[in-house]
Amino acid sequence: MLNLKLLSVVTALGLGAIAVFNLKAPAVPKPVEDNVIGLFLVKKDQINQQYRGELYPIAQYKNGKYLDASVNVTLEVREDSSESAIVKRNLAKSILNQPKTFAVLDTQGKTITQFAAKKAGVGQFACESFLVGRGEVLDNTKLPSLFDQLPKARSQGMSGFINGKQVDEVWKWTISSQRPVAPARLVSVSPAQLKQYRADLERIGTAEINQTKEAKAFSGTAILDDFQVVDLDGDGKHEVYAKLHKGVARGTPIQGNVDRSTVRSVYANVWLSYQNDQPKLISKQVFPQFVPASDAGREYDVLQLIDTDSDGQSEVLVRNNGYEGVSFSIYKLQNNQLKPVFTGAGYGC
């Protein structure tokens, strides 16, 4: 029986802690034909106090398209196949079939170090198993110090038994890219603009939530859980994002016996752009959360702004949160609409 100790992935931001980023590069580079975006994890074995680095591939950008780069080997692990046999059978269909070096990025897209994925192994994510890259960090970086450097908000853990073997691990993760990416730049935002953006997001987000029948159970203005000001296409104009909710915040313990069909809250992910100082809705997702939060794959957290295809514009990498499962999506600004161009690499129980 696995005991999953999942910690918060994205810290909620209030007005006093606004994420303000711009990924505009000094010059627009030629778009690449091939790139891989993944999670880089530093895992600490609590039993033997050893560290190791792993690369979980999420998406491959190739010939103008995004492909799911993950390889699920859960059934083979449950059949008690050896790790070496699983790798041998599945390596040809993985991007890890050849050694690759990845830039390990901080939350603003700056390269911390590089990770050389020299061989493939099998990694555990919740109740599922996937091919992962294993190797070493470069630039004389030590895994323990890198583990300490990564944010606590990006921590997870797992303990229990897998195929009769005791497992007790904690890890921290960040985003990685096979190709170099431009680090985030701060955009200029005045206090008056921040006040206006927040007011617009609260007003529009609340209005969108109130259109759902489930929202009738909740009164007042929606609460902002995340608030970011960015410049996705490098045109000097702001796009703003908020995650909002009405009702009980996700993760709040359930007290007593509650009907599983009860709506606990309604969440929304809202993006706005501005034309002549007027807000325009460019992306939205609105959804109720029941007991349990079984509406999988709809609520998301923004993980990173990253120029995945080196076209000088930043894409938005998000984690879709569901009941006992997650997946990842990439959103791209196209014709003043923020649209999903990739969803995949999901895992869960």
Side-chain angles (χ1 to χ4, degrees):
M1 183 70 179
L2 291 178
N3 174 26
L4 302 182
K5 301 175 291 187
L6 301 182
L7 306 180
S8 173
V9 174
V10 177
T11 302
L13 299 177
L15 185 58
I18 308 300
V20 186
F21 300 125
N22 174 19
L23 289 183
K24 183 179 179 182
V28 178
K30 181 180 178 180
V32 297
E33 292 300 317
D34 197 357
N35 192 19
V36 177
I37 303 300
L39 289 183
F40 173 72
L41 307 98
V42 182
K43 291 191 172 184
K44 179 182 179 181
D45 190 320
Q46 300 279 65
I47 299 174
N48 58 28
Q49 300 299 305
Q50 292 184 349
Y51 294 82
R52 72 178 185 276
E54 288 188 352
L55 191 286
Y56 174 61
I58 295 175
Q60 180 182 29
Y61 178 79
K62 188 173 185 178
N63 298 326
K65 296 181 180 180
Y66 292 91
L67 306 171
D68 192 328
S70 66
V71 177
N72 192 321
V73 295
T74 304
L75 293 179
E76 295 179 57
V77 171
R78 291 175 180 173
E79 293 171 353
D80 292 332
S81 295
S82 68
E83 182 177 47
S84 60
I86 293 172
V87 170
K88 184 177 180 180
R89 285 195 295 266
N90 293 278
L91 190 58
K93 55 186 177 183
S94 171
I95 62 98
L96 300 168
N97 55 10
Q98 294 181 350
K100 288 180 171 62
T101 300
F102 291 83
V104 178
L105 309 176
D106 66 10
T107 56
Q108 295 187 15
K110 182 180 179 181
T111 299
I112 305 172
T113 185
Q114 292 185 314
F115 177 72
K118 297 183 176 181
K119 63 179 183 178
V122 177
Q124 191 74 21
F125 295 83
C127 300
E128 297 189 271
S129 304
F130 293 82
L131 290 190
V132 295
R134 293 190 179 137
E136 60 184 6
V137 290
L138 307 179
D139 307 323
N140 296 318
T141 302
K142 303 298 183 182
L143 284 174
S145 62
L146 184 56
F147 181 90
D148 293 336
Q149 183 179 349
L150 296 177
K152 290 183 179 180
R154 290 183 165 185
S155 300
Q156 293 176 270
M158 180 177 66
S159 63
F161 289 85
I162 300 176
N163 293 340
K165 181 181 179 181
Q166 185 179 3
V167 176
D168 187 1
E169 294 182 330
V170 293
W171 61 84
K172 292 183 178 180
W173 61 268
T174 191
I175 304 302
S176 60
S177 173
Q178 186 184 356
R179 302 296 184 186
V181 295
R185 288 186 173 186
L186 292 177
V187 296
S188 177
V189 187
S190 69
Q193 285 176 312
L194 286 177
K195 183 178 179 180
Q196 184 62 51
Y197 294 160
R198 181 179 182 121
D200 289 339
L201 288 165
E202 288 179 338
R203 174 175 55 84
I204 295 173
T206 299
E208 293 296 330
I209 288 175
N210 286 344
Q211 291 184 33
T212 66
K213 63 180 181 180
E214 292 85 1
K216 294 179 180 179
F218 312 108
S219 61
T221 302
I223 298 171
L224 266 68
D225 299 302
D226 192 3
F227 175 22
Q228 302 190 26
V229 181
V230 302
D231 180 4
L232 295 175
D233 54 3
D235 64 354
K237 300 178 181 179
H238 297 150
E239 289 83 35
V240 297
Y241 162 75
K243 178 179 176 180
L244 313 93
H245 80 273
K246 294 183 74 172
V248 180
R250 181 183 177 92
T252 302
I254 299 173
Q255 302 294 333
N257 294 323
V258 180
D259 191 312
R260 292 175 70 87
S261 63
T262 301
V263 177
R264 302 191 77 206
S265 57
V266 182
Y267 270 82
N269 298 106
V270 174
W271 287 85
L272 306 177
S273 67
Y274 282 81
Q275 297 178 353
N276 299 320
D277 295 326
Q278 296 299 311
K280 178 183 178 181
L281 188 64
I282 60 173
S283 180
K284 69 173 182 178
Q285 289 191 129
V286 182
F287 44 88
Q289 283 199 350
F290 297 88
V291 180
S294 58
D295 202 356
R298 300 185 67 186
E299 174 203 357
Y300 65 70
D301 291 315
V302 173
L303 301 185
Q304 193 95 7
L305 303 181
I306 180 171
D307 186 0
T308 57
D309 55 6
S310 297
D311 66 351
Q313 300 184 18
S314 57
E315 287 72 56
V316 184
L317 176 63
V318 310
R319 191 188 82 157
N320 305 302
N321 303 307
Y323 178 57
E324 295 187 344
V326 303
S327 64
F328 300 88
S329 293
I330 296 173
Y331 285 76
K332 188 174 183 67
L333 191 61
Q334 298 175 333
N335 299 320
N336 205 28
Q337 293 291 313
L338 192 63
K339 301 178 181 180
V341 293
F342 168 81
T343 296
Y347 55 84
C349 290

